[in-house]
Amino acid sequence: MTAPSYPKAHAELLERLRQRQALIGVVGLGYVGLPLCLTYAEKGYRVLGLDIDQSKISAIGEGRSYIQHIDGGRIKWARQNGRLEATTNFACAAEADALILCVPTPLNQYREPDLSFIRDTMAALLPYLRAGQVLSLESTTYPGTTEEELRPLVESQGLVIGETFFLVYSPEREDPGNAHFNTATIPKVMGGSTSACTEVGVALYEQAISEVVPVSSTQAAEMTKLLENIHRAVNIGLMNELKPLADRMGIDLYEVIRAAATKPFGFVPYYPGPGLGGHCIPIDPFYLTWKAREFGMHTRFIELAGEINTAMPAYVVQKTVDALNEVGKPLKGSRVLVLGIAYKKNIDDMRESPSVEVMELLREKGAKVQYSDPFFAAFPRMRRHAFELSNTPLSAEALAGADAVILATDHDAFDYELIAAHSRLLIDTRGRFAPGAQVVRA
Ligand SMILES: NC(=O)c1ccc[n+]([C@@H]2O[C@H](COP(=O)([O-])OP(=O)(O)OC[C@H]3O[C@@H](n4cnc5c(N)ncnc54)[C@H](O)[C@@H]3O)[C@@H](O)[C@H]2O)c1
């Protein structure tokens, strides 16, 4: 690849995007960035992946996947067909016609937005931005980030947004492990800084993704993503609030939700669980809470849902303590087998997993904790938690050897008949088993 010797005008960029001649740069090759690279490559574009993590670059170079649900064959194919290159050398960004940012946006220790990854990425890219490029931010963030953080940086390079350079925000809606939708088939919301930017943004995404949904501004696009995740967090919070109530009333909440879901309009089923997990739902809503303070507003639903959802691991542990007590055992010294440590079923992602919180609380109270999860041969190293554990394969002996078994993540790979047949005491946080003498809903 050679550096471009001339800037491209608006029309030229549109043409290159529409003709699939554009070089698509994707920055941040994680759960969002890697499938995006492959989607563009499979639609006929050449793709340049940029990351600071050399191990990912090496894996791509070798045609190997480092994410469980992404088939390495796709990477191999893209490599063999000259569609995908990956590097840590940000100077190559100058060659790209489009730069799509998919870097993390976590919360800091005060539960406030941590934009350091976006800022670091922009600092690394800035010397290589040039006229005729489009920059799209996909990381989840609060409304205003694109205009307040990215725009001034781009303009500091003498580039004119909407004339020589194009800036858009388009939230990622990746749902790892979803068998029905993938990057190419999930409609893509997108808002540009100016109408020319929006036009370029449509051209950037319309070839690769089945439906592009333009909105009037980058702020509207940013808020759309937060609304989706807030809607989910609040509704799961509502179910988690009703869970202990239904339990005390002797009502099966899952039966109720399933019955309510037969209403053909006006009801969307959400399910309770052991707490929220993943990179998005426990985190993203607080991006809006933080931004709302600037406007003198409070987001009470978000705070309340957060409070209820984060109390769930303690609820699961309390139900375990009570259930063991019923059979004359203290939690201290009891063997507890936790089934599933991924934050949701059928994936190998543990970020913010409530299972970890449950395991931590159990261990604090003196339980002997083991886990079984086919996606993790060993308990991964985490920033805030340390378990020197390896996977306990699911077996009749392992189940029967535990004083309590907690179903935390209901992977399809688990043998549920085996679990039901051999668990002496089963704490079910996912509504998989009918409540009974040995089964406690939590
Ligand atoms: N994972 C999901 O399912 C999902 C879904 C929707 C939206 N999102 C959002 O997408 C964004 C990315 O999430 P993810 O799950 O892909 O994260 P991830 O941690 O899997 O990947 C991020 C990648 O960015 C790289 N990176 C970090 N700093 C960098 C820098 N300065 N320059 C270049 N690369 C850098 C990391 O090495 C990593 O490979 C986040 O804002 C997240 O909220 C994620």
Side-chain angles (χ1 to χ4, degrees), residues 27-35 50-54 56 66-67 90 101-106 116-122 124 138-141 169 171-176 225 229 279-280 283-284 287 343-344 349 351:
V27 190
L29 304 174
Y31 286 89
V32 168
L34 180 61
L50 288 160
D51 204 295
I52 52 173
D53 181 349
Q54 180 58 49
K56 293 193 173 88
Y66 43 86
I67 295 178
F90 279 62
L101 272 47
C102 310
V103 294
T105 42
S116 61
F117 294 90
I118 293 181
R119 290 184 183 132
D120 290 352
T121 304
M122 285 303 290
E138 293 207 3
S139 305
T140 306
T141 187
Y169 178 83
E172 180 49 56
R173 287 167 154 175
E174 190 69 16
D175 185 17
K225 172 70 185 181
N229 286 354
H279 187 303
C280 299
I283 293 171
D284 301 347
Y287 267 69
Y343 80 82
K344 70 172 183 177
D349 189 348
R351 288 177 290 179

Side-chain angles (χ1 to χ4, degrees), residues 114-331:
D114 174 4
L115 294 190
S116 61
F117 294 90
I118 293 181
R119 290 184 183 132
D120 290 352
T121 304
M122 285 303 290
L125 288 176
L126 221 48
Y128 308 108
L129 298 187
R130 58 166 176 83
Q133 285 179 318
V134 51
L135 177 67
S136 174
L137 178 63
E138 293 207 3
S139 305
T140 306
T141 187
Y142 56 79
T145 307
T146 308
E147 298 305 318
E148 293 158 21
E149 293 279 335
L150 270 57
R151 186 178 186 130
L153 291 173
V154 173
E155 289 175 338
S156 74
Q157 300 303 295
L159 297 160
V160 183
I161 303 287
E163 291 182 20
T164 59
F165 195 93
F166 305 91
L167 184 60
V168 305
Y169 178 83
S170 180
E172 180 49 56
R173 287 167 154 175
E174 190 69 16
D175 185 17
N178 188 320
H180 305 292
F181 293 98
N182 58 43
T183 310
T185 60
I186 301 171
K188 197 102 175 77
V189 171
M190 188 274 311
S193 279
T194 67
S195 55
C197 294
T198 305
E199 194 184 2
V200 171
V202 170
L204 169 62
Y205 287 112
E206 72 184 351
Q207 308 290 325
I209 288 158
S210 54
E211 187 186 348
V212 181
V213 184
V215 293
S216 63
S217 63
T218 55
Q219 291 92 334
E222 288 160 337
M223 185 127 168
T224 301
K225 172 70 185 181
L226 293 187
L227 173 62
E228 291 166 12
N229 286 354
I230 290 164
H231 167 252
R232 213 170 148 68
V234 166
N235 280 288
I236 293 171
L238 177 61
M239 294 307 129
N240 279 334
E241 181 173 61
L242 296 180
K243 180 168 68 167
L245 174 66
D247 185 61
R248 200 162 283 187
M249 296 170 93
I251 296 169
D252 180 347
L253 183 58
Y254 292 88
E255 182 190 3
V256 172
I257 297 169
R258 279 194 294 271
T262 61
K263 185 179 177 186
F265 45 84
F267 182 85
V268 179
Y270 287 88
Y271 295 92
L276 293 183
H279 187 303
C280 299
I281 311 296
I283 293 171
D284 301 347
F286 296 99
Y287 267 69
L288 192 63
T289 298
W290 179 84
K291 190 65 177 174
R293 284 189 212 124
E294 190 182 311
F295 296 84
M297 307 286 280
H298 296 284
T299 55
R300 286 176 294 163
F301 268 112
I302 296 173
E303 299 280 10
L304 180 59
E307 209 177 288
I308 292 170
N309 290 329
T310 51
M312 281 303 117
Y315 175 74
V316 172
V317 171
Q318 187 57 49
K319 291 292 282 186
T320 309
V321 168
D322 294 347
L324 282 166
N325 189 50
E326 282 291 310
V327 292
K329 290 180 187 171
L331 179 60

